[in-house]
């Protein structure tokens, strides 16, 4: 972890400090910035967040500007104690209370009808508000020390992969925000599960580490926003952010998926196909990368083989995925071929991100 590392910027850019998030003095300084309506990026257990005062229109506007985020894409409000939910939300149904009790602090965001005090600037004009209590100690300390509710989208430039390291935040936000709290690598690596609780049956608006079956164990039937299941131009996702292309590396990413994904036969076909595509592009003078897992890494013939965890352990793929997508940009590759990672409980959440990064370009073999 970096200690006191200060980066000086040219005239019209803000000076972005990088401080150790484990140091109480850093938290104190960060809280002052937030109270003065400035912006601080901080680690959460999912990805790094870009924080500002959630009840202040100007701070919200600064967040949108720093990210280059479309203003109809609302922000999640981060809190450190459950009482805050009753200050921000008009109604808190029993199912919300049960989910809060089961999964908070943790990677679950709930959507509830908003109270007046939550400005339209934070909710993108919606009459609902997204609320989450993160479990990361740095995030919790910062919320408590500031005494604020903190609006915090992922701390990346809009469209880029979410940051899972303080370095990623620096890449995107240097000169645009006052401070970054370094908490090392995040634990989960993909954004929170979002559940809409404004209808009788809760609806998943964004898949994440907390899966449908985990939610159903607590509150019974849960559905998934149909717009998430198949890309369909006639269906508009209920979470405005889900309609945007996201996480996309600069090179063209294609997913190569086996018809029988889990079987050896399917896997062999995928490897053969990817090797063939790599050879074609390399022969034409392009720089190519392959995204795979540790099990298959030595089966590819490519100069850039990027390993996103172990296929057997979905959580290791989630933790590495965005880092690997950012590496594609660092390597400046023209074409990227990735295996599909559908397996296991986290497969849906991982593939939701990978498909967006690939602009839904999939070759089935
Ligand atoms: P990020 O902050 O980058 O993790 O993105 C936040 C996600 O939450 C985006 O997809 C938003 O569209 C979604 N979101 C935030 N507030 C609401 C809300 N009130 N209703 C539906 N989706 C929301
Ligand atoms: Mg985001």
């Amino acid at each position: 972890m970096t200690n006191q590392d200060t980066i000086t910027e040219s005239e019209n850019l803000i000076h972005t400090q990088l401080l150790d998030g484990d140091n109480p003095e850093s938290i104190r300084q960060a809280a002052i910035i937030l109270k003065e309506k400035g912006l601080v990026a901080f680690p959460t257990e999912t990805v790094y967040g870009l924080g500002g005062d959630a009840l202040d229109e100007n701070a919200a506007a600064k967040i949108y500007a720093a990210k280059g985020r479309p203003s109809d894409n609302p922000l999640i409000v981060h809190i450190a104690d459950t009482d805050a939910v009753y200050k921000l939300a008009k109604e808190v149904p029993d199912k919300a209370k049960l989910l809060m009790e089961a999964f908070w602090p943790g990677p679950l965001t709930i959507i509830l009808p908003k109270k007046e005090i939550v400005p339209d600037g934070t909710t993108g004009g919606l009459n609902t508000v997204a609320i989450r209590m993160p479990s990361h100690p740095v995030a919790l300390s910062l919320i408590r020390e500031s005494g604020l509710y903190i609006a915090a989208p992922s701390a990346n430039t809009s469209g880029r992969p979410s940051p899972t390291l303080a370095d990623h935040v620096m890449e995107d936000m240097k000169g645009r925000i006052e401070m970054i709290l370094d908490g090392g690598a995040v634990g989960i690596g993909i954004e929170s599960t979002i559940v809409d609780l404004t209808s009788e049956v809760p609806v998943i608006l964004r898949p994440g580490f907390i899966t449908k079956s985990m939610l159903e164990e607590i509150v019974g039937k849960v559905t998934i926003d149909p717009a998430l299941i198949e890309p369909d131009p006639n269906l508009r996702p209920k979470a405005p952010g889900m309609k945007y292309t996201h996480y996309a590396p600069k090179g063209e990413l294609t997913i190569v998926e086996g018809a029988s994904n889990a079987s050896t036969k399917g896997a062999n076909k995928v490897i053969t196909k990817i090797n063939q595509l790599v050879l074609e592009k390399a022969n034409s003078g392009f720089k190519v990368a392959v995204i795979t897992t540790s099990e298959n890494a030595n089966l590819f013939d490519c100069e850039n083989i990027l390993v996103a965890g172990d296929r057997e352990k979905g959580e290791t793929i989630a933790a590495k995925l965005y880092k690997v997508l950012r590496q594609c940009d660092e390597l400046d590759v023209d074409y990227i071929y990735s295996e599909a990672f559908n397996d296991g409980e986290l497969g849906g959440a991982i593939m939701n991100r990978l498909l967006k990064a690939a602009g839904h370009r999939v070759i089935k073999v």
Side-chain angles (χ1 to χ4, degrees), residues 54-55 76-106 108-118 127-134 140 143 147-150 195 197-198:
L55 301 189
I76 295 172
V77 180
H78 292 68
I79 61 171
D81 70 275
T82 36
D83 288 352
V85 174
Y86 301 88
K87 307 230 167 78
L88 299 165
K90 229 187 245 172
E91 293 141 45
V92 186
D94 288 342
K95 285 180 185 171
K97 290 177 195 160
L98 289 169
L99 291 177
M100 283 153 53
E101 198 165 303
F103 298 111
W104 279 4
L108 180 74
T109 296
I110 60 174
I111 308 282
L112 295 172
K114 82 170 186 75
K115 274 191 177 161
E116 279 297 304
I117 58 159
V118 186
N127 57 8
T128 52
V129 58
I131 309 173
R132 173 164 110 84
M133 189 193 293
L140 287 172
I143 301 166
L148 301 171
Y149 311 125
I150 302 184
V195 183
L197 289 154
T198 60

Side-chain angles (χ1 to χ4, degrees), residues 14 29 54 86 154 166 189 251:
I14 304 175
Q29 289 183 35
Y86 301 88
S154 50

Side-chain angles (χ1 to χ4, degrees), residues 47 67 69 73 153-156 160 162 191 206 246-247:
V47 299
K67 279 182 64 82
R69 182 175 175 113
N73 187 2
S154 50
N156 51 290
R160 289 210 77 203
S162 299
E191 302 82 351
R206 177 170 74 184
H246 251 94
Y247 323 123

